[in-house]
C-alpha cells in the first residue's frame, strides 16, 4: 500500500514539474480547433501563450500561432479561451474602445465597425473558444468552432489584431508573453 501511494505521489510530482517546465508548449486546442487553424495556416507553430486578467477577474487565456516559429504578422491565429461569460455588447464596446486607443475614427467608421463586430461576436461562455485568423489582408472568425464571419476590411483587420499584438498595447506584459518574448 505504501509503495503504491509513493508511486502515485512521485508521478504527481513529475506531472506538476513537467507542466511547469513545458507548460508553454501544451495547447488548450481541441482537435476541431486544430483542424480549423491548420486549414488556413497549414503547418502552424505556437508562438506564445498568455493569460489576460483585469483586477481580480480572470478574463481569458490566449494562444498565438503563426506559419513559422517566429511571429509572422501576415499569417497568424489568435485563440481566446474564455474563463468567464461576457455578453456581446460588452465585447463590441471594449473592442471599439481598444481600436480608438490606437486610432481616432469617425462616427461613421465606428458605426461600420460596430456592425462588423455584430457579425463576429456572440455572448461568450466559460471555456468556449474564439478564433481569429489573419491571412494577409483577410480575417476569419470562429466561435466554438463555428465560422461566424470573414472580413476583407484591411484597416479593421490590422487594428483588431493589434489590440493584442501592438508594442504599445494596454497590457504590454501580456503582449510580450503572447509574442513569446
Amino acid at each position: 500500500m505504501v509503495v503504491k501511494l509513493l508511486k502515485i505521489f512521485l508521478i504527481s510530482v513529475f506531472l506538476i514539474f513537467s507542466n511547469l517546465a513545458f507548460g508553454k508548449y501544451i495547447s488548450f486546442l481541441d482537435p476541431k480547433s486544430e483542424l480549423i487553424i491548420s486549414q488556413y495556416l497549414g503547418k502552424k507553430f505556437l508562438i506564445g501563450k498568455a493569460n489576460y486578467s483585469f483586477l481580480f477577474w480572470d478574463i481569458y487565456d490566449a494562444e498565438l500561432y503563426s506559419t513559422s516559429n517566429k511571429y509572422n504578422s501576415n499569417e497568424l491565429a489568435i485563440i481566446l479561451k474564455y474563463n468567464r461569460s461576457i455578453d456581446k455588447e460588452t465585447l463590441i464596446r471594449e473592442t471599439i474602445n481598444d481600436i480608438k486607443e490606437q486610432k481616432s475614427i469617425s462616427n461613421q467608421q465606428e458605426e461600420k465597425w460596430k456592425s462588423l463586430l455584430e457579425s463576429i461576436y456572440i455572448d461568450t461562455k466559460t471555456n468556449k473558444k474564439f478564433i481569429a485568423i489573419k491571412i494577409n489582408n483577410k480575417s476569419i472568425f470562429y466561435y466554438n468552432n463555428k465560422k461566424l464571419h470573414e472580413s476583407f476590411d484591411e484597416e479593421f483587420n490590422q487594428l483588431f489584431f493589434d489590440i493584442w499584438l501592438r508594442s504599445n498595447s494596454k497590457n504590454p506584459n501580456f503582449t510580450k508573453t503572447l509574442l513569446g518574448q
Side-chain angles (χ1 to χ4, degrees):
M1 179 69 170
V2 173
V3 172
K4 188 175 182 178
L5 288 174
L6 182 60
K7 281 183 182 179
I8 291 171
F9 173 76
L10 290 174
I11 290 171
S12 298
V13 168
F14 173 75
L15 290 174
I16 289 169
F17 282 108
S18 65
N19 191 39
L20 290 174
F22 302 105
K24 74 177 202 172
Y25 302 106
I26 299 171
S27 171
F28 54 69
L29 287 184
D30 59 88
K32 284 185 180 179
S33 299
E34 290 258 3
L35 187 61
I36 289 166
I37 295 168
S38 295
Q39 172 186 343
Y40 296 98
L41 298 184
K43 187 170 182 166
K44 66 189 175 325
F45 295 85
L46 178 61
I47 303 301
K49 296 173 67 164
N51 173 269
Y52 183 75
S53 299
F54 180 72
L55 299 174
F56 54 86
W57 292 290
D58 182 14
I59 310 295
Y60 55 76
D61 295 310
E63 293 183 347
L64 174 65
Y65 291 86
S66 195
T67 52
S68 71
N69 60 358
K70 294 191 181 187
Y71 167 63
N72 176 348
S73 63
N74 292 314
E75 296 178 330
L76 60 97
I78 293 177
I79 297 85
L80 306 179
K81 182 178 74 66
Y82 290 97
N83 297 322
R84 57 179 293 127
S85 297
I86 306 171
D87 64 82
K88 180 179 183 172
E89 291 74 28
T90 300
L91 291 168
I92 292 170
R93 182 182 63 248
E94 291 300 316
T95 301
I96 290 294
N97 289 342
D98 285 339
I99 287 172
K100 286 179 172 180
E101 285 182 17
Q102 299 176 61
K103 179 181 180 164
S104 178
I105 60 174
S106 68
N107 289 338
Q108 181 182 2
Q109 189 67 45
E110 181 177 338
E111 291 306 312
K112 177 183 172 189
W113 286 345
K114 278 183 180 178
S115 177
L116 196 155
L117 290 167
E118 285 279 340
S119 301
I120 291 172
Y121 288 137
I122 62 173
D123 294 338
T124 66
K125 304 288 182 221
T126 303
N127 291 321
K128 300 296 182 184
K129 294 178 200 76
F130 175 78
I131 300 173
I133 300 166
K134 182 178 180 217
I135 302 296
N136 298 312
N137 300 320
K138 174 183 172 183
S139 294
I140 308 99
F141 304 94
Y142 286 79
Y143 178 77
N144 202 27
N145 297 324
K146 179 183 175 203
K147 188 174 183 178
L148 299 175
H149 190 75
E150 289 187 13
S151 169
F152 296 91
D153 184 326
E154 292 179 43
E155 184 178 24
F156 170 83
N157 294 343
Q158 188 62 49
L159 292 167
F160 182 84
F161 283 92
D162 280 351
I163 290 170
W164 299 277
L165 301 174
R166 71 185 190 277
S167 59
N168 64 341
S169 71
K170 67 181 173 185
N171 191 332
N173 290 333
F174 172 87
T175 297
K176 284 180 182 178
T177 304
L178 192 59
L179 289 169
Q181 300 172 348

